[in-house]
Amino acid sequence: MTDNLTKTPAATKPAGLLWTIVAGSAAAAASTFLAWTWTTLFPGNLTVYGYPAPLQMLTLVGAVLTGALALSALGIKGLGWLTPTGARRPLWIMALGTFATTLFTALSIIVELGALVDLEPGAGIAVLAAAVPAVAAYKLPDDTRKAAPAKQLSSWAEILIIVAVFALGLYAVTFGIDTDDSEPQLFIAYLILVGFTATALVKSGLSARLTQITARNRQVTVTASLFAAIAFPFIQQSGDTYTLIAVNILIFATVALGLNIVVGLAGLLDLGYVAFLGVGAYTAALVSGATSSAFDVQFPFWAAALTGMAASLVFGVVIGAPTLRLRGDYLAIVTLGFGEIFRIAMGNLDGTSGPQITNGPNGIPNIPQLEFFGYNFGESHTVLGVELGAYANYYLLMILVMALVIIVFARAGNSRIGRAWVAIREDETAATAMGINGFRVKLVAFALGAALAGLAGTVQAHVNTTVVPENYVFAGPVPPNSAFLLAAVILGGMGTISGPIVGSALLFLIPAKLQFLQDYQLLGFGIALIVLMRVRPEGLIANKRAQLEFHENDDQPDVPDQRRPAPAAADATTDAGAAKAGA
């Protein structure tokens, strides 16, 4: 009896199933070195023996990760850290992701080439081998547990872990962006594997451990993230081809962070936020020396950026002053109306319906490229032996802009006024009763969010070299627009810094890579929002307060509910009350 109680969790697991998972994962990994089809007509050339193609590489990575989790569950020395909260759930999710990725590739070959005989034996082996771990992992008993306290590592070991994590993250992001647009199968398979892998890391408790390490080494984490972001254009295999996507993602994410102040911190539903981006872009276009500008001036970029921020801030105050006394749906409708008014007004300032300022629907083209101290952003430059194109120059500029916006967001969120925003968001009546001037606090949030969006708009005008009213609508096929920005904040996680960045990256990258689904992207986003509200209402990267609120009655071993007293304390309080009543 004593022996059974002292057995470790790994010893009580069915070792046969775990070794079956290891064997199936090894077979799936080995199958990636075989040919999966006989013809090169299928994108990616899966006909080569001994060298995995990119699609096969995804199966290889998934199989290796599945095997590693299974070995961790078996108690193999040195791998126990992979599953601190239990192995069954992450193992099954990872195995299912590997099988889904492999099956998708095989089905794509059949659909693309038109017949089952177009599959080579390697594809069949891969599908069957990947199915074995998925079935075996499903039959494992549930071993979910609360993670034991992590062993304290030396500072240099934690720094190496942070560097390795960011290096792997940079490689994964670069792999996804660099996928050929003519091969949507590769990007879809990439999304499948990344989604399942991220979920498995969360369920295993490993992501929580990494979060603890990064929290203890905040300066190292910030430095590593900055270096990883700067390194992106230097490791592009296709030159400047896909850097434009990265630039637009940064612009989209910067504007989403500004909206996060309004929606995530202050709790104000703004459906016309993209108008502030348009104000900054139009202002920069008018004062940057464009040939079609109504003003014969050419400000240096720093002056144009400050002018765009100031114009957006003033526009935010003008909109916010009469409307922020409204709440909820009424505020959303009014801001939506103001956003449409801005777009229509820009289209009417054409010299016919109104003054000749913006050229109406034709917009302001031929916006000149930026130039700092003789460094022209529109030309290619060789830096550290690597030729950087025009979009790489703007990418590095947007890294600086985003860093500035992140600093402003973090400082404002942790300040006195940031706490006032949160109080207003939670209960405006209670906050007002505590002495907070709700109108003034909300107006500051509105103005600050507008200024940050205007700053991003000044860069967007020079990247696109033209500004037209159709770019600033509530909902449209091309982000950023108000609907996409709001979706990015909600999907990523309101009130966080990394949440809107991740949400913006997904919402911009997926339509850019899967253009054949352009007519259905709004439907897809609607389905994604419904699914997310069901399985993770706090967003992909959750704010701790929101996570506690949404999962108040759930079993969350990794997120202790600090709002409730411990059972012993609660009993003591009850006993004290009963004693007092008895006395």
Side-chain angles (χ1 to χ4, degrees):
M1 183 68 177
T2 304
D3 293 337
N4 291 334
L5 291 175
T6 57
K7 283 184 179 181
T8 62
T12 60
K13 293 186 178 71
L17 286 175
L18 292 173
W19 282 115
T20 301
I21 295 173
V22 173
S25 300
S31 68
T32 61
F33 293 88
L34 304 175
W36 285 14
T37 184
W38 61 272
T39 175
T40 58
L41 294 178
F42 185 80
N45 191 9
L46 308 184
T47 65
V48 180
Y49 283 86
Y51 185 82
L55 270 170
Q56 295 169 312
M57 187 69 70
L58 295 176
T59 296
L60 175 61
V61 171
V64 170
L65 292 177
T66 303
L69 290 174
L71 292 175
S72 173
L74 283 167
I76 301 299
K77 186 176 181 180
L79 294 178
W81 56 272
L82 287 174
T83 54
T85 60
R88 193 265 176 184
R89 286 196 296 177
L91 184 54
W92 180 63
I93 293 171
M94 193 68 247
L96 188 62
T98 304
F99 172 68
T101 304
T102 308
L103 181 62
F104 171 79
T105 304
L107 293 177
S108 297
I109 295 174
I110 297 173
V111 172
E112 181 76 17
L113 301 181
L116 182 63
V117 295
D118 291 309
L119 291 176
E120 285 288 290
I125 295 174
V127 172
L128 293 176
V132 170
V135 175
Y138 179 76
K139 293 182 175 295
L140 287 173
D142 188 10
D143 61 347
T144 304
R145 59 184 182 272
K146 184 175 181 179
K151 182 181 178 181
Q152 189 71 29
L153 301 176
S154 60
S155 58
W156 65 267
E158 292 187 343
I159 291 174
L160 288 179
I161 291 174
I162 292 173
V163 172
V165 167
F166 276 99
L168 290 174
L170 177 61
Y171 175 80
V173 171
T174 304
F175 183 92
I177 293 180
D178 280 350
T179 54
D180 193 347
D181 293 346
S182 63
E183 301 178 13
Q185 300 90 347
L186 177 58
F187 185 72
I188 295 175
Y190 164 81
L191 287 180
I192 294 173
L193 184 64
V194 168
F196 277 97
T197 302
T199 306
L201 290 177
V202 172
K203 295 299 183 181
S204 68
L206 189 58
S207 62
R209 290 280 174 88
L210 292 175
T211 302
Q212 295 173 1
I213 293 175
T214 56
R216 289 195 296 266
N217 301 271
R218 188 174 300 275
Q219 293 183 348
V220 176
T221 303
V222 172
T223 304
S225 61
L226 183 60
F227 271 100
I230 293 175
F232 173 78
F234 291 92
I235 60 175
Q236 284 290 291
Q237 301 295 325
S238 53
D240 214 28
T241 304
Y242 297 111
T243 311
L244 176 59
I245 295 178
V247 174
N248 286 318
I249 288 175
L250 290 180
I251 294 174
F252 193 5
T254 302
V255 182
L257 280 172
L259 179 60
N260 200 21
I261 293 178
V262 180
V263 176
L265 294 182
L268 306 173
L269 184 56
D270 186 353
L271 298 182
Y273 187 76
V274 75
F276 300 132
L277 176 69
V279 171
Y282 265 100
T283 303
L286 290 171
V287 302
S288 295
T291 56
S292 56
S293 172
F295 307 107
D296 189 17
V297 295
Q298 185 169 1
F299 290 180
F301 175 69
W302 64 268
L306 291 177
T307 305
M309 289 182 65
S312 296
L313 188 148
V314 171
F315 192 74
V317 172
V318 169
I319 291 179
T323 61
L324 288 179
R325 300 186 187 278
L326 301 174
R327 298 186 186 182
D329 298 339
Y330 299 102
L331 177 62
I333 293 172
V334 171
T335 54
L336 174 61
F338 271 108
E340 290 301 300
I341 289 172
F342 167 78
R343 179 181 62 83
I344 295 171
M346 293 301 102
N348 288 336
L349 298 179
D350 57 355
T352 301
S353 302
Q356 174 57 277
I357 298 178
T358 65
N359 291 326
N362 296 324
I364 304 176
N366 302 322
I367 301 173
Q369 301 290 341
L370 294 180
E371 188 170 345
F372 287 158
F373 302 104
Y375 188 95
N376 192 309
F377 279 63
E379 299 176 355
S380 297
H381 299 274
T382 301
V383 180
L384 300 178
V386 178
E387 184 177 357
L388 297 181
Y391 295 133
N393 299 327
Y394 284 108
Y395 171 86
L396 296 176
L397 176 62
M398 277 306 305
I399 289 292
L400 296 178
V401 172
M402 173 167 279
L404 175 63
V405 173
I406 289 175
I407 292 173
V408 171
F409 182 92
R411 296 295 184 183
N414 294 325
S415 67
R416 180 178 179 180
I417 195 169
R419 293 192 292 272
W421 288 337
V422 174
I424 290 291
R425 182 192 67 192
E426 296 298 324
D427 193 329
E428 185 173 351
T429 303
T432 303
M434 295 301 293
I436 296 176
N437 189 329
F439 173 75
R440 185 174 62 185
V441 167
K442 290 189 292 185
L443 187 60
V444 170
F446 219 70
L448 180 58
L452 297 180
L455 176 60
T458 60
V459 180
Q460 185 197 41
H462 290 88
V463 172
N464 296 338
T465 67
T466 185
V467 178
V468 293
E470 285 72 19
N471 288 342
Y472 309 104
V473 297
F474 169 71
V478 180
N481 52 61
S482 293
F484 278 43
L485 289 169
L486 187 61
V489 174
I490 296 174
L491 286 172
M494 294 190 297
T496 65
I497 293 177
S498 53
I501 297 176
V502 173
S504 301
L506 292 175
L507 292 184
F508 192 94
L509 186 60
I510 293 175
K513 288 294 184 180
L514 304 179
Q515 296 185 6
F516 67 96
L517 294 176
Q518 187 173 11
D519 295 337
Y520 305 97
Q521 58 180 293
L522 291 179
L523 174 63
F525 292 149
I527 294 174
L529 285 172
I530 294 173
V531 172
L532 199 69
M533 284 189 293
R534 176 64 183 89
V535 301
R536 196 170 177 84
E538 67 273 22
L540 296 176
I541 300 179
N543 177 275
K544 289 184 178 180
R545 182 193 300 270
Q547 195 169 24
L548 288 171
E549 291 176 354
F550 283 112
H551 298 279
E552 185 175 3
N553 299 320
D554 296 351
D555 183 17
Q556 293 285 334
D558 296 333
V559 185
D561 192 346
Q562 298 177 355
R563 297 175 300 170
R564 297 179 176 180
D571 294 342
T573 303
T574 304
D575 294 340
K580 185 176 180 179

